[in-house]
């Protein structure tokens, strides 16, 4: 799979520094999960400009990228967090194993949304004029975010000023809602759900910048 190296999203210097530092000295399963996380971050960074409409939308790249995110999510992600694996350099918090079900469901949400995006990539972006009024039921309970709003890397990493809001917005977007066929959603909607899952999990389970 050819993920283009060109990354046009604005990375905050501190987020990049944090990610770079994290690799130093990590070994074993901790290194494995950092590599997995870095791989999905690169894909998110590649897809974000398409979702923001600053580069042309390419359904194939979106679908393939989502497939790769999915392959790092769910069970695969969980297998890289064996109980109390906090050895060496890690930003993982011990709360992961105290609240394993929450952690597990975030990893599973990520897989569900990524699988949906892989299938729904051909749906393309939301029509520009519908941006203010997203009409699918799961989003009805919250003000629809402007569609040009794409998570910054800082938000994605859970470094945003208001991670609580991101975590709270997740509650109304449960993928298990029977009425909602995720594969009918627009790609940018699903992408925002994916980003929200990253930041919710980081806000709760990843230690802040160091
Ligand atoms: C189920 C929880 C969870 C989800 C979902 C999740 N992450 Fe993470 N992520 C973590 C944890 C915990 C760490 C810290 C791991 C460590 O330091 O041992 C981390 C670390 C990272 C890192 C830092 C790697 C490094 O080198 O320090 C990046 C980048 C990252 N995640 C990106 C993402 C992106 C992008 C997504 C969504 C597409 C995502 N993550 C989804 C829990 C999650």
């Amino acid at each position: 799979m050819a993920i283009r190296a060109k990354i046009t999203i604005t990375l905050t210097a501190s987020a990049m520094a944090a990610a770079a530092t994290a690799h130093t000295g990590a070994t074993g399963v901790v290194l494995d999960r950092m590599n997995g996380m870095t791989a999905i971050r690169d894909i998110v960074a590649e897809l974000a400009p398409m979702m923001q409409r600053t580069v042309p939308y390419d359904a194939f790249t979106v679908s393939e990228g989502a497939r790769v995110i999915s392959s790092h999510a769910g069970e695969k992600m969980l297998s890289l967090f064996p109980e109390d694996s906090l050895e060496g350099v890690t930003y993982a918090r011990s709360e992961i194993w105290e609240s394993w079900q929450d952690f597990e469901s975030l990893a599973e949400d990520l897989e569900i949304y990524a699988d949906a995006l892989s299938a729904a990539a051909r749906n393309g972006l939301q029509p520009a004029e519908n941006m203010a009024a997203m009409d699918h039921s799961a989003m009805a309970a919250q003000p629809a975010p402007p569609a040009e709003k794409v998570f910054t890397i800082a938000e994605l990493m859970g470094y945003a000023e208001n991670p609580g809001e991101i975590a709270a917005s997740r509650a109304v977007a449960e993928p298990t809602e029977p009425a909602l066929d995720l594969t009918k959603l627009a790609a940018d909607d699903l992408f925002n759900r994916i980003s929200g899952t990253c930041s919710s999990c980081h806000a709760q389970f990843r230690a802040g910048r160091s």
Side-chain angles (χ1 to χ4, degrees):
M1 119 127 265
I3 284 295
R4 284 190 287 274
K6 187 161 157 271
I7 293 173
T8 38
I9 196 169
T10 313
L11 294 167
T12 68
S14 51
M16 292 208 299
T21 320
H23 283 287
T24 318
T27 53
V29 76
V30 175
L31 181 61
D32 287 348
R33 70 194 178 212
M34 284 183 180
N35 287 339
M37 292 285 174
T38 305
I40 58 178
R41 191 242 353 246
D42 289 348
I43 293 167
V44 167
E46 189 204 11
L47 299 187
M50 284 188 206
M51 303 299 169
Q52 285 168 311
R53 301 157 201 257
T54 57
V55 306
Y57 183 83
D58 179 64
F60 179 78
T61 305
V62 171
S63 178
E64 287 297 292
R67 205 174 48 76
V68 176
I69 292 174
S70 166
S71 76
H72 287 284
E75 282 302 316
K76 175 67 206 256
M77 184 175 279
L78 294 169
S79 74
L80 297 176
F81 288 90
E83 185 136 24
D84 297 330
S85 51
L86 293 170
E87 64 279 353
V89 179
T90 175
Y91 292 99
R93 295 170 59 176
S94 56
E95 281 83 349
I96 291 171
W97 299 283
E98 286 155 22
S99 309
W100 181 253
Q101 284 190 337
D102 293 342
F103 187 78
E104 197 174 30
S105 72
L106 285 162
E108 284 163 1
D109 285 359
L110 181 59
E111 183 176 22
I112 289 166
Y113 290 136
D115 284 344
L117 179 57
S118 186
R122 62 172 178 269
N123 297 351
L125 302 174
Q126 306 179 74
E129 63 273 21
N130 285 0
M131 277 180 188
M134 295 201 287
D135 57 0
H136 36 83
S137 53
M139 304 290 277
Q142 62 170 355
E148 67 272 18
K149 155 90 177 125
V150 168
F151 286 78
T152 63
I153 290 288
E155 285 170 315
L156 195 69
M157 294 301 291
Y159 299 150
E161 297 302 318
N162 53 357
E165 269 179 36
I166 295 168
S169 72
R170 183 182 162 261
V172 295
E174 277 297 326
T176 45
E177 258 181 63
L180 183 64
D181 180 356
L182 291 171
T183 64
K184 297 229 160 55
L185 298 182
D188 46 343
D189 184 347
L190 288 164
F191 183 78
N192 282 337
R193 289 167 190 250
I194 287 172
S195 305
T197 309
C198 312
S199 33
S200 295
C201 194
H202 293 158
Q204 265 180 276
F205 296 115
R206 185 183 191 270
R209 324 158 194 256
S210 57

